[in-house]
């Protein structure tokens, strides 16, 4: 069995905000906001000139902002603040100044260097202690459960919760190699479906960091219902991956999907799954998005590729606005605009606006590529009944979320949180081919 997130796969260039960095001597109101440590040789922030001993890398680095309330960028190292990059913004490092600094972040002191970042045709400067080669993702992890069903020949397939992505991540060594067959024996690997014994189950739960006291909470998206299972009551199993071809090579543990057998009891269809002590979902808050076509002239902002902070910006040369759409809730207005080149629609531009203030609270481009493709919009007056895009307060005590705009050939989707300090929430779909 293989999980397919065909209906709600979503990829957004992540544009949310993170960790505040303050100039020396500024008073901070909370302890979790990093502040620069004053040193005796620190020059006045507005008088620091661009250093003469800077170096330009032979190969440019593309790094992500990992400060939770944003990372200030400046006219020069330690100089005047010009603006702030949001959490997970990808930046192109084009200059190393060799000016080091220290920033206190809660109880930690972070040492780093001021580096030059390409911005439009200029160079701005940031402290690289809050840059990383990988983006930040939410601590909340979601999965997808496949339903029980009966095939045409009468054979049945058990409902299954696949947590392989977590399992294999935690069996990968620091050097990138994988621990081989830490659960399955050579006798097991001759079988298509393996029911883990008590010793194997214990190892499996340790690797996935799942407790016997945890519950599985399955939120049915279309039905707006929550179904709960206790981990202690479920059999842990390993099933051969449907993409495995035994004619080409010998099976190994990596050719299996690991998870929990939900039996014949679950068949609710499209869903999101959380494993833990408390249910994070709430019902009655998620809305299917039904789009209404509007005049392009009424779209609230003209698309500019400058919002794309990486080398994909060049993909948008020659693209022009095409069909435009709007969807509204009580609190937010959502806008989508097709982007076309030579009359061919390829990508989409999206805005989310607070109608009371006119403030843009979210902005992104949905990019059609080899690994992901755009999910069609469900519009008014259409006969299409399939609901693809969703928004609302899906999680208890969490801001509005948004998902369902792209589907993946490779990789998995994530759920966007419409809050500038919240990273996206990954959906661990184990999309191995």
């Amino acid at each position: 069995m293989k999980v397919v997130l065909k209906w709600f796969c979503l990829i957004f260039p992540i544009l949310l905000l993170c960790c505040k960095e303050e100039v020396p001597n500024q008073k901070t109101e909370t302890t979790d906001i990093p502040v620069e440590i004053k040193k005796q040789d620190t020059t006045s922030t507005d008088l620091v000139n661009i250093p003469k001993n800077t170096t330009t890398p032979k190969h440019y680095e593309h790094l992500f902002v990992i400060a939770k309330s944003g990372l200030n960028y400046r006219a020069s190292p330690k100089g005047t603040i010009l603006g702030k990059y949001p959490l997970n913004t990808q930046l192109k490092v084009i200059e190393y100044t060799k000016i080091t600094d220290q920033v206190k972040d809660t109880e930690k002191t972070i040492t780093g260097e001021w580096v030059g970042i390409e911005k439009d045709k200029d160079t701005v400067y940031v402290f690289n202690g809050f840059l990383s080669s990988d983006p930040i993702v939410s601590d909340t992890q979601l999965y997808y459960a496949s339903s029980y069903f009966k095939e045409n020949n009468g054979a049945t397939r058990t409902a299954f919760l696949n947590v392989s992505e977590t399992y294999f991540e935690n069996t990968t060594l620091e050097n990138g190699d994988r621990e081989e067959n830490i659960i399955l024996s050579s006798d097991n690997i001759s079988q298509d479906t393996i029911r883990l014994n008590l010793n194997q189950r214990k190892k499996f739960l340790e690797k996935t960091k799942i407790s016997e006291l945890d519950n599985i909470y399955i939120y049915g998206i279309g039905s707006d219902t929550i179904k709960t299972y206790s981990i202690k009551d479920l059999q842990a199993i390993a099933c051969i991956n449907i993409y495995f071809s035994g004619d080409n090579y010998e099976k190994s543990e990596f050719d299996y999907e690991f998870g929990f057998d939900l039996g014949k009891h679950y068949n609710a269809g499209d869903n999101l799954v959380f494993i833990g002590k408390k249910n994070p979902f709430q019902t009655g808050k998620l809305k299917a998005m039904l789009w209404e076509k509007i005049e392009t002239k009424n779209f609230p902002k003209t698309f500019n590729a400058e919002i794309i902070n990486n080398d994909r910006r060049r993909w948008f040369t020659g693209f022009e606005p095409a069909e435009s759409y709007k969807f509204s809730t009580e609190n937010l207005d959502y806008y989508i605009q097709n982007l076309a080149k030579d009359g061919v629609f390829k990508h989409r531009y999206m805005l989310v606006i607070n109608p009371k203030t006119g403030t843009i609270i979210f902005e992104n481009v949905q990019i059609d590529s080899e690994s992901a493709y755009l999910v069609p919009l469900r519009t008014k007056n259409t006969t299409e009944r399939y609901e693809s895009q969703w928004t609302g307060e899906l999680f208890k005590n969490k801001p509005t979320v948004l998902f369902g705009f792209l589907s993946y050939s490779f990789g998995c989707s994530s759920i966007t949180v419409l809050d500038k300090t919240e990273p996206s929430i990954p959906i661990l779909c184990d999309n191995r081919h």
Side-chain angles (χ1 to χ4, degrees), residues 9-28:
C9 293
L10 161 63
I11 184 172
F12 287 128
I14 309 172
L15 300 171
L16 311 176
L17 294 179
C18 41
C19 201
K20 186 176 179 182
E21 169 215 301
E22 300 287 341
V23 295
N25 298 325
Q26 278 190 319
K27 182 178 179 180
T28 58

Side-chain angles (χ1 to χ4, degrees), residues 34-49:
V35 294
E36 295 174 12
I37 298 175
K38 185 176 181 180
K39 297 180 286 186
Q40 292 182 350
D41 60 347
T42 299
T43 311
S44 173
T45 57
D46 291 329
L47 297 178
V48 176
N49 295 319

Side-chain angles (χ1 to χ4, degrees), residues 16-286:
L16 311 176
L17 294 179
C18 41
C19 201
K20 186 176 179 182
E21 169 215 301
E22 300 287 341
V23 295
N25 298 325
Q26 278 190 319
K27 182 178 179 180
T28 58
E29 297 180 357
T30 59
T31 57
D32 61 343
I33 298 177
V35 294
E36 295 174 12
I37 298 175
K38 185 176 181 180
K39 297 180 286 186
Q40 292 182 350
D41 60 347
T42 299
T43 311
S44 173
T45 57
D46 291 329
L47 297 178
V48 176
N49 295 319
I50 298 176
K52 296 180 180 179
N53 60 342
T54 59
T55 59
T56 301
K58 293 181 180 179
H59 303 286
Y60 294 127
E61 283 189 290
H62 291 84
L63 303 176
F64 295 91
V65 174
I66 59 171
K68 286 205 170 177
S69 58
L71 182 61
N72 292 328
Y73 60 86
R74 303 168 184 259
S76 61
K78 308 182 189 179
T80 302
I81 295 175
L82 302 177
K84 181 180 286 188
Y85 286 119
L87 171 67
N88 286 333
T89 302
Q90 191 175 27
L91 306 178
K92 182 178 180 180
V93 180
I94 60 174
E95 183 181 307
Y96 296 96
T97 68
K98 299 183 181 179
I99 296 177
T100 59
D101 210 340
Q102 289 183 325
V103 169
K104 188 173 183 181
D105 184 10
T106 59
E107 301 302 319
K108 297 186 300 182
T109 298
I110 298 174
T111 300
E113 177 184 353
W114 288 90
V115 295
I117 301 298
E118 181 181 73
K119 182 172 175 57
D120 303 329
K121 296 181 180 180
D122 298 322
T123 302
V124 296
Y125 295 85
V126 302
F127 177 68
N128 73 356
F130 294 107
L131 297 180
S132 172
S133 57
D134 297 308
I136 295 291
V137 296
S138 173
D139 293 334
T140 300
Q141 293 185 335
L142 301 178
Y143 301 91
Y144 175 76
S146 58
S147 297
Y148 164 82
F149 69 93
K150 183 178 290 187
E151 297 178 355
N152 292 333
N153 62 4
T156 61
R157 181 172 297 183
T158 184
F160 180 64
L161 173 57
N162 185 348
V163 297
S164 299
E165 195 160 334
T166 298
Y167 173 68
F168 286 117
E169 178 182 358
N170 293 329
T171 59
T172 301
L173 304 175
E174 290 185 2
N175 63 0
D177 292 340
R178 187 174 289 111
E179 296 181 60
E180 291 295 330
N181 302 337
I182 66 165
I183 288 182
L184 303 184
S185 66
S186 57
D187 291 337
N188 291 147
I189 291 178
S190 64
Q191 306 171 44
D192 285 342
T193 299
I194 303 157
R195 298 193 174 274
L196 304 187
N197 61 36
L198 289 178
N199 185 50
Q200 291 171 324
R201 178 186 178 93
K202 182 179 179 181
K203 290 181 180 179
F204 169 64
L205 293 180
E206 287 175 351
K207 286 297 181 182
T208 55
K209 297 179 172 58
I210 296 172
S211 167
E212 294 282 10
L213 301 178
D214 285 340
N215 291 323
I216 293 172
Y217 301 97
I218 305 180
Y219 176 78
I221 295 176
S223 61
D224 192 33
T225 58
I226 298 171
K227 193 169 183 63
T228 304
Y229 297 89
S230 296
I231 290 292
K232 62 182 177 59
D233 296 333
L234 297 176
Q235 176 74 53
I237 61 176
C239 308
I240 194 68
N241 191 304
I242 62 173
Y243 291 102
F244 172 76
S245 175
D247 296 334
N248 297 329
Y249 59 92
E250 185 178 352
K251 280 188 290 188
S252 70
E253 185 168 287
F254 186 68
D255 295 309
Y256 285 82
E257 297 175 353
F258 288 82
F260 297 96
D261 183 357
L262 302 179
K264 300 180 180 180
H265 305 292
Y266 182 74
N267 59 0
D270 298 337
N271 59 77
L272 296 167
V273 182
F274 176 80
I275 303 175
K277 299 291 190 300
K278 295 182 179 180
N279 170 33
F281 302 115
Q282 59 185 351
T283 58
K285 300 290 185 178
L286 197 65

